[in-house]
Amino acid sequence: IGREATCRIPAGALYEPLFCRPARRPAPCAPEGVVVLSPAYRFLEATTPLRQAAQIAVAASVPRSLRLRAALARTTRRGGLAFVGGHYTEGRIAASCRTAGDFAVVADTMPPRIRPLFEEGADLSSAEMLRFRVGDNFSGVASCTLRIDGEWVPCDRYPVQSLLFHRFDGQGGRRRHEAELTVTDASGNTARWRGVFFR
């Protein structure tokens, strides 16, 4: 589509021959915390299945303050926006995607959410684990780091339930502990929680 957007579809990616009608479309609506930075570009209908990923590149004028948060998004069959990914380089965002649809440049500006499933200063002597509810508005949680008393500890995450937990080793001694949880989404937004519990 001019010098604005390109789509490279590898040989064998389509299940059958079809016409490709590239088009520029209105900018999509975005959820809270997401800034739309370009019109939408359609190469294939969202219902077109792909065997292999297509390479999508969209040019956009992205403010310097948003360049590290910029990525491609696509419209879903229900009209919402789904995060695709990619990085801003020399005025373009490029990414690979195995789903067709309308693509636009967006920037996710909202950090992830962290909610401890215990009260501040709680006595967790009889608890088996330290539990948190974590989530993100758009690009999704990319990494989680939990430290207790300054030491890194392992934690497991169940994305479907938005649950993150650390399983305690051994019995507690009703000592005071300081915990710090850092969560980063796929766009680089970071949230940090600090609190105290006893065990």
Side-chain angles (χ1 to χ4, degrees), residues 114-136:
I114 302 174
R115 183 168 65 89
L117 298 179
F118 56 92
E119 298 292 331
E120 174 73 10
D123 184 353
L124 302 179
S125 299
S126 60
E128 295 181 359
M129 61 185 71
L130 196 63
R131 302 189 311 144
F132 299 87
R133 192 80 68 185
V134 298
D136 188 66

Side-chain angles (χ1 to χ4, degrees), residues 150-174:
E151 297 290 327
W152 176 88
V153 296
C155 53
D156 294 306
R157 190 166 73 90
Y158 290 95
V160 174
Q161 300 174 359
S162 301
L163 185 67
L164 179 141
F165 67 88
H166 163 70
R167 196 175 297 277
F168 292 122
D169 292 328
Q171 296 294 321
R174 294 184 183 275

Side-chain angles (χ1 to χ4, degrees), residues 3 14 25 42 71 91 114 123 140 150 157:
R3 296 184 178 182
L14 300 174
R25 300 175 59 80
R42 176 180 295 178
I114 302 174
D123 184 353
R157 190 166 73 90

Side-chain angles (χ1 to χ4, degrees), residues 15-175:
Y15 286 85
E16 60 182 2
L18 51 78
F19 288 105
C20 178
R21 299 181 177 88
R24 184 189 302 105
R25 300 175 59 80
C29 295
E32 182 184 1
V34 177
V35 180
V36 178
L37 299 167
S38 78
Y41 298 93
R42 176 180 295 178
F43 295 94
L44 298 171
E45 296 289 337
T47 55
T48 306
L50 296 174
R51 291 185 192 212
Q52 302 174 47
Q55 303 298 315
I56 312 291
V58 176
S61 177
V62 180
R64 185 177 297 276
S65 61
L66 295 178
R67 289 180 182 175
L68 293 178
R69 307 283 185 260
L72 282 185
R74 66 171 179 82
T75 55
T76 64
R77 295 183 186 186
R78 296 183 178 180
L81 269 186
F83 181 79
V84 173
H87 300 284
Y88 180 86
T89 305
E90 298 179 353
R92 301 174 75 81
I93 301 283
S96 61
C97 187
R98 295 195 59 168
T99 307
D102 296 0
F103 294 87
V105 175
V106 302
D108 181 0
T109 63
M110 187 176 290
R113 301 177 303 276
I114 302 174
R115 183 168 65 89
L117 298 179
F118 56 92
E119 298 292 331
E120 174 73 10
D123 184 353
L124 302 179
S125 299
S126 60
E128 295 181 359
M129 61 185 71
L130 196 63
R131 302 189 311 144
F132 299 87
R133 192 80 68 185
V134 298
D136 188 66
N137 66 312
F138 184 66
S139 58
V141 173
S143 67
C144 302
T145 303
L146 178 62
R147 296 181 184 277
I148 296 179
D149 298 331
E151 297 290 327
W152 176 88
V153 296
C155 53
D156 294 306
R157 190 166 73 90
Y158 290 95
V160 174
Q161 300 174 359
S162 301
L163 185 67
L164 179 141
F165 67 88
H166 163 70
R167 196 175 297 277
F168 292 122
D169 292 328
Q171 296 294 321
R174 294 184 183 275
R175 291 172 42 223

